[in-house]
Amino acid sequence: MRARTFLLSLMIPILSLAACDDGGPPPIAAVRAVTAQTTPEARKAEIKRQLARICPTPLGDADLERAAAFVETHRDKDAVAIVRDLSRLDAEARVCRGAQAAN
């Protein structure tokens, strides 16, 4: 029963990783905001600012610890697969927000 509850709790961050901000500016306004910047550095900063609003939020340390504890108590391939997918989604969220990808 605890395993089922934990798996359901993993679905919440996974769904939030797949969500996008619907309240973002229209595409034309976003392009104009970038092209209005005078320097390449300012344009890059504007692009990063706009991407940060639509990128998923990476998991916190508590979420990652809970996933690790789940694998420790449920040592089967399904638990490992779930946590591996969760870790991949977390890494993608971090890259989207500008963090360097770990190789």
Side-chain angles (χ1 to χ4, degrees):
M1 186 65 172
R2 280 184 46 172
R4 186 174 296 162
T5 304
F6 183 79
L7 292 176
L8 290 175
S9 71
L10 285 178
M11 293 302 291
I12 294 169
I14 289 172
L15 292 174
S16 69
L17 288 175
C20 290
D21 180 17
D22 292 332
I28 298 297
V31 170
R32 286 185 182 143
V34 171
T35 57
Q37 305 302 318
T38 57
T39 65
E41 293 81 16
R43 285 191 289 274
K44 187 175 180 179
E46 177 64 21
I47 290 169
K48 283 185 175 183
R49 186 187 69 76
Q50 289 184 25
L51 284 176
R53 291 193 318 213
I54 62 171
C55 284
T57 304
L59 297 174
D61 290 339
D63 297 324
L64 296 172
E65 288 294 327
R66 190 172 57 220
F70 178 75
V71 170
E72 289 296 321
T73 58
H74 300 88
R75 293 184 176 265
D76 60 358
K77 64 181 181 178
D78 293 331
V80 172
I82 289 168
V83 173
R84 184 178 42 232
D85 290 344
L86 185 62
S87 178
R88 179 184 50 80
L89 292 170
D90 179 60
E92 289 172 0
R94 291 179 191 280
V95 169
C96 184
R97 290 196 172 258
Q100 294 296 320
N103 291 331

